[in-house]
Each structure stands twice: as C-alpha cells, then as structure tokens.
Amino acid sequence: MASKRPFYSLYAHAYDLLITDPVEPWVAAVHSSLARPAATILDAGCGTGRHAAALIELGHRVDLIDVSVELLALAAARCPTARTWTADLRALGTWPAATTAASGDLGCAYDAVTCRGVLNDLIDDDERLSAMRSLAGCLIPGGALFLDVRERDASRRRADGVPRSKRVDLPGGGLLTFAARTTWDDGLLRVDETYTLDGRDSHYDFVMRPWTEPELRDVLGTCGLHDVRISAGAGRRTPDRLFVVAR
C-alpha cells in the first residue's frame, strides 16, 4: 500500500499538514519506557520522521526504514544523522543493515523498535505474524517493541460511512482537499479516499484490519515477546488506537 497510496507517494509532501496529531505524547511514552537514556532505536515505517526527530533530540540514536521512497526522503532530510533504508517490514532479515551485525556494526541489534500504524495494513494472519517476527528479530535480548495499532471494536464504531475532509495549502502552491469515507465489513475497515487538487479528483480504495488485545498478545508471544503492556493510544485524538509495549 505504501508504494501506491497517494497519501504516501504523490501527496507525501502534504502528509504533515494532514496528520497533525502531536508527537510529544508518543515520544514521551517511549522515552520513559526505555531502559537507557541513549538507546539505539529502529523506527520501522518512519513516515516523514517527526517522531524519530523528537527521539533524536532526546539523545537517542535512530535509524529509519519505510517502503515509501517519498516519505523516507522527507524523513532523511528531517533527521540528517539517521541511517535510512527502503525496506518491507515483513522481511527485515534481508535488508542491508542485517548483514552488518556480524562485523560488530549496529546491524539488527536495537534496544528498541518503534512502529506506528503500519501493521493495520497487513490483512492475513501470515503477513501479520511475519511482520511482527521481523520487528522482534531486530531487538537485542531484553529490547522493547513499541507499537501503535488500531483497536477493532473502537474502529468499528468509528466506521460510520460519513465522509470527513480536510483542506490544506500546499507549500509549493495549490489547495488540496483530502476526503475519506470509512465503512466496516466483516472485520475489515474499507476506506475510500478522494484527493482534489486544482479541481481534479483522484481516488484510492483500500482495506485495513484492526487488532484485538488477545490477538496482539498471541502474535507477540509467538515471536518471543511475553512481557506485553497495552494501553490507550498515546497522543491520538480519536479513541481507536492502542499503545503497545512488548519485551
């Protein structure tokens, strides 16, 4: 999805204008849960790098990966000290950094891995397990995985079919109107997005699969993460997100 969805590609430069949830609550929640004041962190699905930049300011070393070339370029510009890779979360064992671990470089041995929102885009059980196992495999023993995911019941309640829109002035000129209509269909969120720029419309439809707490605990446990703490989303303006810490 990240390579095709206009939100992540064609209109990546408008992402920060459209998504304005505050960074500070999430970053504070992660920072306070870390075992050391200067941790090595992999931001998996980093987006435009807002959260990574805030963690770097707190003294952490952060590496960035995303499958969207456009979003990753924005993140790299925002976080010039960070290493960046284009990678699929389901197969981090094959990405370039994984091959450096044997030489004593940072490699895939991180104190923490953060991943916000991305895991909702994986629909079938095998994909979800592959992604979670891939993320867990980047941790040192005792490392922590921090997730932001959609919660199923709250997501179903919000999927009322009512269109919601937002208009933003683009940095290079032009007025972009973004509208989304979300419905619920047998455990899946179906999203119909419309982008209007200079009177021209484009559409993109996709599905997401929210998570339940039992599913999270089961998948994380299968990946060797048994100390799992789940709470309400950190810094989210809507009640359909979960903040997950797993070790």
Side-chain angles (χ1 to χ4, degrees):
M1 182 190 299
S3 62
K4 298 177 181 178
R5 188 182 178 192
F7 200 42
Y8 299 150
S9 53
L10 182 61
Y11 297 112
H13 58 295
Y15 185 93
D16 289 342
L17 300 174
L18 295 168
I19 301 298
T20 57
D21 285 352
V23 167
E24 292 78 12
W26 163 273
V27 171
V30 171
H31 180 68
S32 65
S33 298
L34 290 170
R36 60 188 67 184
T40 56
I41 302 173
L42 175 65
D43 192 357
C46 63
T48 63
R50 294 171 65 220
H51 298 78
L55 287 168
I56 291 170
E57 287 184 5
L58 290 173
H60 303 293
R61 175 178 175 178
V62 183
D63 287 344
L64 310 173
I65 62 173
D66 205 289
V67 76
S68 165
V69 174
E70 293 83 359
L71 289 178
L72 189 60
L74 294 171
R78 176 171 271 149
C79 307
T81 63
R83 301 188 300 176
T84 63
W85 290 273
T86 302
D88 187 324
L89 299 189
R90 295 167 297 181
L92 294 185
T94 64
W95 67 315
T99 64
T100 67
S103 66
D105 198 358
L106 186 58
C108 261
Y110 291 92
D111 298 311
V113 174
T114 61
C115 185
R116 294 172 310 281
V118 183
L119 296 174
N120 306 303
D121 298 336
L122 304 178
I123 305 304
D124 66 59
D125 291 342
D126 288 342
E127 282 191 323
R128 288 154 90 89
L129 179 58
S130 294
M132 203 76 81
R133 182 174 285 133
S134 184
L135 295 173
C138 291
L139 294 170
I140 63 170
L145 175 61
F146 296 90
L147 306 175
D148 175 283
V149 298
R150 291 181 180 271
E151 195 276 328
R152 187 181 65 182
D153 291 340
S155 295
R156 184 179 64 236
R157 289 191 291 270
R158 289 197 66 222
D160 54 12
V162 176
R164 293 173 173 84
S165 64
K166 186 172 184 178
R167 303 175 72 186
V168 296
D169 292 311
L170 298 180
L175 179 65
L176 173 66
T177 300
F178 168 74
R181 177 178 175 271
T182 304
T183 55
W184 185 259
D185 181 12
D186 193 24
L188 298 177
L189 286 172
R190 297 195 174 276
V191 185
D192 177 10
E193 293 181 342
T194 301
Y195 305 81
T196 304
L197 179 63
D198 298 330
R200 297 189 299 272
D201 289 348
S202 59
H203 300 272
Y204 187 74
D205 301 332
F206 63 98
V207 296
M208 291 186 288
R209 179 182 166 190
W211 294 72
T212 65
E213 290 195 24
E215 181 191 9
L216 283 165
R217 294 183 185 279
D218 180 60
V219 174
L220 289 165
T222 300
C223 298
L225 302 174
H226 300 288
D227 179 3
V228 180
R229 302 179 184 181
I230 301 175
S231 57
R236 293 294 190 175
R237 293 192 174 97
T238 57
D240 57 342
R241 300 296 182 112
L242 296 174
F243 177 66
V244 183
V245 185
R247 291 181 170 85

